[in-house]
PDB file of all heavy atoms in Angstrom:
ATOM      1  N   VAL A 864      -2.182  13.275   2.462  1.00 94.00           N
ATOM      2  CA  VAL A 864      -2.809  14.291   3.313  1.00 94.00           C
ATOM      3  C   VAL A 864      -4.325  14.126   3.294  1.00 94.00           C
ATOM      4  O   VAL A 864      -4.991  14.176   4.334  1.00 94.00           O
ATOM      5  CB  VAL A 864      -2.407  15.721   2.799  1.00 94.00           C
ATOM      6  CG1 VAL A 864      -3.263  16.798   3.425  1.00 94.00           C
ATOM      7  CG2 VAL A 864      -0.942  15.966   3.093  1.00 94.00           C
ATOM      8  N   VAL A 868      -6.804  13.541   6.535  1.00 96.00           N
ATOM      9  CA  VAL A 868      -7.874  14.497   6.864  1.00 96.00           C
ATOM     10  C   VAL A 868      -9.233  13.788   6.912  1.00 96.00           C
ATOM     11  O   VAL A 868     -10.038  14.037   7.787  1.00 96.00           O
ATOM     12  CB  VAL A 868      -7.825  15.659   5.829  1.00 96.00           C
ATOM     13  CG1 VAL A 868      -9.077  16.484   5.868  1.00 96.00           C
ATOM     14  CG2 VAL A 868      -6.597  16.530   6.118  1.00 96.00           C
ATOM     15  N   SER A 898       2.226  10.830  14.152  1.00 92.00           N
ATOM     16  CA  SER A 898       2.667  12.061  14.845  1.00 92.00           C
ATOM     17  C   SER A 898       3.374  12.994  13.874  1.00 92.00           C
ATOM     18  O   SER A 898       3.142  14.213  13.916  1.00 92.00           O
ATOM     19  CB  SER A 898       3.615  11.714  15.987  1.00 92.00           C
ATOM     20  OG  SER A 898       2.971  10.834  16.895  1.00 92.00           O
ATOM     21  N   LYS A 899       4.180  12.413  13.018  1.00 93.00           N
ATOM     22  CA  LYS A 899       4.913  13.225  12.057  1.00 93.00           C
ATOM     23  C   LYS A 899       3.945  13.946  11.098  1.00 93.00           C
ATOM     24  O   LYS A 899       4.067  15.139  10.859  1.00 93.00           O
ATOM     25  CB  LYS A 899       5.871  12.310  11.275  1.00 93.00           C
ATOM     26  CG  LYS A 899       6.936  13.038  10.504  1.00 93.00           C
ATOM     27  CD  LYS A 899       7.884  12.042   9.862  1.00 93.00           C
ATOM     28  CE  LYS A 899       8.631  12.725   8.716  1.00 93.00           C
ATOM     29  NZ  LYS A 899       9.158  11.756   7.761  1.00 93.00           N
ATOM     30  N   MET A 900       2.976  13.171  10.602  1.00 94.00           N
ATOM     31  CA  MET A 900       2.013  13.746   9.672  1.00 94.00           C
ATOM     32  C   MET A 900       1.136  14.793  10.345  1.00 94.00           C
ATOM     33  O   MET A 900       0.786  15.812   9.747  1.00 94.00           O
ATOM     34  CB  MET A 900       1.143  12.648   9.049  1.00 94.00           C
ATOM     35  CG  MET A 900       0.155  13.163   8.044  1.00 94.00           C
ATOM     36  SD  MET A 900       0.886  14.053   6.642  1.00 94.00           S
ATOM     37  CE  MET A 900       0.361  13.077   5.251  1.00 94.00           C
ATOM     38  N   LEU A 901       0.806  14.584  11.632  1.00 93.00           N
ATOM     39  CA  LEU A 901      -0.022  15.560  12.324  1.00 93.00           C
ATOM     40  C   LEU A 901       0.701  16.918  12.439  1.00 93.00           C
ATOM     41  O   LEU A 901       0.083  17.963  12.326  1.00 93.00           O
ATOM     42  CB  LEU A 901      -0.402  15.043  13.726  1.00 93.00           C
ATOM     43  CG  LEU A 901      -1.399  13.863  13.728  1.00 93.00           C
ATOM     44  CD1 LEU A 901      -1.709  13.443  15.164  1.00 93.00           C
ATOM     45  CD2 LEU A 901      -2.685  14.178  12.964  1.00 93.00           C
ATOM     46  N   ARG A 902       2.031  16.839  12.628  1.00 92.00           N
ATOM     47  CA  ARG A 902       2.791  18.115  12.670  1.00 92.00           C
ATOM     48  C   ARG A 902       2.695  18.824  11.321  1.00 92.00           C
ATOM     49  O   ARG A 902       2.552  20.038  11.245  1.00 92.00           O
ATOM     50  CB  ARG A 902       4.255  17.850  13.041  1.00 92.00           C
ATOM     51  CG  ARG A 902       4.433  17.572  14.537  1.00 92.00           C
ATOM     52  CD  ARG A 902       5.893  17.704  14.961  1.00 92.00           C
ATOM     53  NE  ARG A 902       6.752  16.690  14.367  1.00 92.00           N
ATOM     54  CZ  ARG A 902       6.917  15.453  14.852  1.00 92.00           C
ATOM     55  NH1 ARG A 902       6.312  15.092  15.979  1.00 92.00           N
ATOM     56  NH2 ARG A 902       7.705  14.578  14.255  1.00 92.00           N
ATOM     57  N   ARG A 903       2.767  18.019  10.253  1.00 94.00           N
ATOM     58  CA  ARG A 903       2.688  18.614   8.918  1.00 94.00           C
ATOM     59  C   ARG A 903       1.292  19.216   8.653  1.00 94.00           C
ATOM     60  O   ARG A 903       1.169  20.326   8.119  1.00 94.00           O
ATOM     61  CB  ARG A 903       2.988  17.520   7.881  1.00 94.00           C
ATOM     62  CG  ARG A 903       3.271  18.111   6.536  1.00 94.00           C
ATOM     63  CD  ARG A 903       3.755  17.084   5.541  1.00 94.00           C
ATOM     64  NE  ARG A 903       3.334  17.517   4.208  1.00 94.00           N
ATOM     65  CZ  ARG A 903       3.050  16.706   3.205  1.00 94.00           C
ATOM     66  NH1 ARG A 903       3.133  15.408   3.363  1.00 94.00           N
ATOM     67  NH2 ARG A 903       2.663  17.198   2.050  1.00 94.00           N
ATOM     68  N   LEU A 904       0.271  18.499   9.076  1.00 95.00           N
ATOM     69  CA  LEU A 904      -1.105  18.995   8.887  1.00 95.00           C
ATOM     70  C   LEU A 904      -1.327  20.289   9.649  1.00 95.00           C
ATOM     71  O   LEU A 904      -2.044  21.176   9.205  1.00 95.00           O
ATOM     72  CB  LEU A 904      -2.137  17.940   9.304  1.00 95.00           C
ATOM     73  CG  LEU A 904      -2.179  16.640   8.518  1.00 95.00           C
ATOM     74  CD1 LEU A 904      -3.251  15.713   9.051  1.00 95.00           C
ATOM     75  CD2 LEU A 904      -2.438  16.900   7.018  1.00 95.00           C
ATOM     76  N   ALA A 905      -0.680  20.387  10.812  1.00 93.00           N
ATOM     77  CA  ALA A 905      -0.804  21.610  11.620  1.00 93.00           C
ATOM     78  C   ALA A 905      -0.114  22.769  10.903  1.00 93.00           C
ATOM     79  O   ALA A 905      -0.630  23.893  10.855  1.00 93.00           O
ATOM     80  CB  ALA A 905      -0.202  21.402  13.003  1.00 93.00           C
ATOM     81  N   GLU A 906       1.064  22.503  10.305  1.00 94.00           N
ATOM     82  CA  GLU A 906       1.762  23.525   9.524  1.00 94.00           C
ATOM     83  C   GLU A 906       0.924  24.011   8.343  1.00 94.00           C
ATOM     84  O   GLU A 906       0.931  25.182   8.001  1.00 94.00           O
ATOM     85  CB  GLU A 906       3.104  22.969   8.992  1.00 94.00           C
ATOM     86  CG  GLU A 906       4.230  23.026   9.997  1.00 94.00           C
ATOM     87  CD  GLU A 906       5.405  22.114   9.569  1.00 94.00           C
ATOM     88  OE1 GLU A 906       5.549  21.853   8.358  1.00 94.00           O
ATOM     89  OE2 GLU A 906       6.129  21.683  10.478  1.00 94.00           O
ATOM     90  N   LEU A 907       0.216  23.067   7.739  1.00 95.00           N
ATOM     91  CA  LEU A 907      -0.643  23.394   6.602  1.00 95.00           C
ATOM     92  C   LEU A 907      -1.963  24.041   7.042  1.00 95.00           C
ATOM     93  O   LEU A 907      -2.825  24.352   6.248  1.00 95.00           O
ATOM     94  CB  LEU A 907      -0.955  22.143   5.781  1.00 95.00           C
ATOM     95  CG  LEU A 907       0.218  21.489   5.057  1.00 95.00           C
ATOM     96  CD1 LEU A 907      -0.181  20.102   4.527  1.00 95.00           C
ATOM     97  CD2 LEU A 907       0.715  22.356   3.920  1.00 95.00           C
ATOM     98  N   ARG A 908      -2.115  24.173   8.350  1.00 95.00           N
ATOM     99  CA  ARG A 908      -3.323  24.747   8.967  1.00 95.00           C
ATOM    100  C   ARG A 908      -4.595  23.959   8.617  1.00 95.00           C
ATOM    101  O   ARG A 908      -5.671  24.524   8.418  1.00 95.00           O
ATOM    102  CB  ARG A 908      -3.497  26.218   8.602  1.00 95.00           C
ATOM    103  CG  ARG A 908      -2.391  27.064   9.184  1.00 95.00           C
ATOM    104  CD  ARG A 908      -2.527  28.532   8.827  1.00 95.00           C
ATOM    105  NE  ARG A 908      -1.250  29.215   9.038  1.00 95.00           N
ATOM    106  CZ  ARG A 908      -0.915  29.763  10.212  1.00 95.00           C
ATOM    107  NH1 ARG A 908      -1.747  29.720  11.230  1.00 95.00           N
ATOM    108  NH2 ARG A 908       0.247  30.352  10.341  1.00 95.00           N
ATOM    109  N   LEU A 909      -4.434  22.639   8.502  1.00 96.00           N
ATOM    110  CA  LEU A 909      -5.584  21.785   8.271  1.00 96.00           C
ATOM    111  C   LEU A 909      -6.120  21.234   9.600  1.00 96.00           C
ATOM    112  O   LEU A 909      -7.281  20.843   9.687  1.00 96.00           O
ATOM    113  CB  LEU A 909      -5.195  20.634   7.333  1.00 96.00           C
ATOM    114  CG  LEU A 909      -4.832  21.062   5.903  1.00 96.00           C
ATOM    115  CD1 LEU A 909      -4.231  19.924   5.125  1.00 96.00           C
ATOM    116  CD2 LEU A 909      -6.053  21.643   5.178  1.00 96.00           C
ATOM    117  N   ILE A 910      -5.275  21.189  10.604  1.00 94.00           N
ATOM    118  CA  ILE A 910      -5.719  20.782  11.938  1.00 94.00           C
ATOM    119  C   ILE A 910      -5.191  21.762  12.986  1.00 94.00           C
ATOM    120  O   ILE A 910      -4.196  22.462  12.753  1.00 94.00           O
ATOM    121  CB  ILE A 910      -5.258  19.378  12.332  1.00 94.00           C
ATOM    122  CG1 ILE A 910      -3.720  19.274  12.329  1.00 94.00           C
ATOM    123  CG2 ILE A 910      -5.823  18.307  11.426  1.00 94.00           C
ATOM    124  CD1 ILE A 910      -3.177  18.023  13.016  1.00 94.00           C
ATOM    125  N   SER A 911      -5.848  21.785  14.124  1.00 91.00           N
ATOM    126  CA  SER A 911      -5.233  22.417  15.288  1.00 91.00           C
ATOM    127  C   SER A 911      -4.976  21.286  16.286  1.00 91.00           C
ATOM    128  O   SER A 911      -5.806  20.403  16.479  1.00 91.00           O
ATOM    129  CB  SER A 911      -6.151  23.489  15.879  1.00 91.00           C
ATOM    130  OG  SER A 911      -7.421  22.957  16.158  1.00 91.00           O
ATOM    131  N   HIS A 912      -3.780  21.316  16.833  1.00 76.00           N
ATOM    132  CA  HIS A 912      -3.316  20.189  17.618  1.00 76.00           C
ATOM    133  C   HIS A 912      -2.876  20.732  18.975  1.00 76.00           C
ATOM    134  O   HIS A 912      -1.796  21.274  19.114  1.00 76.00           O
ATOM    135  CB  HIS A 912      -2.124  19.561  16.888  1.00 76.00           C
ATOM    136  CG  HIS A 912      -1.736  18.224  17.414  1.00 76.00           C
ATOM    137  ND1 HIS A 912      -0.587  17.559  17.062  1.00 76.00           N
ATOM    138  CD2 HIS A 912      -2.352  17.395  18.281  1.00 76.00           C
ATOM    139  CE1 HIS A 912      -0.507  16.413  17.659  1.00 76.00           C
ATOM    140  NE2 HIS A 912      -1.567  16.275  18.417  1.00 76.00           N
ATOM    141  N   VAL A 918      -6.721  16.234  18.445  1.00 88.00           N
ATOM    142  CA  VAL A 918      -6.648  16.802  17.076  1.00 88.00           C
ATOM    143  C   VAL A 918      -8.011  17.296  16.646  1.00 88.00           C
ATOM    144  O   VAL A 918      -9.006  16.614  16.848  1.00 88.00           O
ATOM    145  CB  VAL A 918      -6.196  15.698  16.116  1.00 88.00           C
ATOM    146  CG1 VAL A 918      -6.270  16.169  14.682  1.00 88.00           C
ATOM    147  CG2 VAL A 918      -4.796  15.236  16.466  1.00 88.00           C
ATOM    148  N   LYS A 919      -8.036  18.479  16.057  1.00 90.00           N
ATOM    149  CA  LYS A 919      -9.296  19.002  15.539  1.00 90.00           C
ATOM    150  C   LYS A 919      -9.046  19.570  14.132  1.00 90.00           C
ATOM    151  O   LYS A 919      -8.046  20.249  13.937  1.00 90.00           O
ATOM    152  CB  LYS A 919      -9.787  20.125  16.453  1.00 90.00           C
ATOM    153  CG  LYS A 919     -11.239  19.978  16.864  1.00 90.00           C
ATOM    154  CD  LYS A 919     -11.663  21.073  17.794  1.00 90.00           C
ATOM    155  CE  LYS A 919     -12.989  21.617  17.297  1.00 90.00           C
ATOM    156  NZ  LYS A 919     -13.075  22.983  16.956  1.00 90.00           N
ATOM    157  N   THR A 921      -9.385  22.170  11.239  1.00 94.00           N
ATOM    158  CA  THR A 921      -9.815  23.556  11.033  1.00 94.00           C
ATOM    159  C   THR A 921     -10.908  23.569   9.985  1.00 94.00           C
ATOM    160  O   THR A 921     -11.198  22.525   9.365  1.00 94.00           O
ATOM    161  CB  THR A 921      -8.610  24.398  10.522  1.00 94.00           C
ATOM    162  OG1 THR A 921      -8.219  23.832   9.228  1.00 94.00           O
ATOM    163  CG2 THR A 921      -7.419  24.376  11.465  1.00 94.00           C
ATOM    164  N   ALA A 923     -10.698  24.742   7.046  1.00 95.00           N
ATOM    165  CA  ALA A 923     -10.051  24.339   5.800  1.00 95.00           C
ATOM    166  C   ALA A 923      -9.871  22.826   5.727  1.00 95.00           C
ATOM    167  O   ALA A 923     -10.099  22.202   4.701  1.00 95.00           O
ATOM    168  CB  ALA A 923      -8.704  25.044   5.633  1.00 95.00           C
ATOM    169  N   GLY A 924      -9.502  22.226   6.884  1.00 96.00           N
ATOM    170  CA  GLY A 924      -9.338  20.786   6.941  1.00 96.00           C
ATOM    171  C   GLY A 924     -10.659  20.082   6.738  1.00 96.00           C
ATOM    172  O   GLY A 924     -10.760  19.068   6.032  1.00 96.00           O
TER     173      GLY A 924
END
Side-chain angles (χ1 to χ4, degrees):
V864 167
V868 165
S898 302
K899 195 175 159 202
M900 182 58 121
L901 291 180
R902 283 196 295 275
R903 194 172 151 211
L904 295 180
E906 278 164 24
L907 293 169
R908 294 179 198 272
L909 294 170
I910 60 167
S911 54
H912 193 191
V918 173
K919 230 180 133 238
T921 61

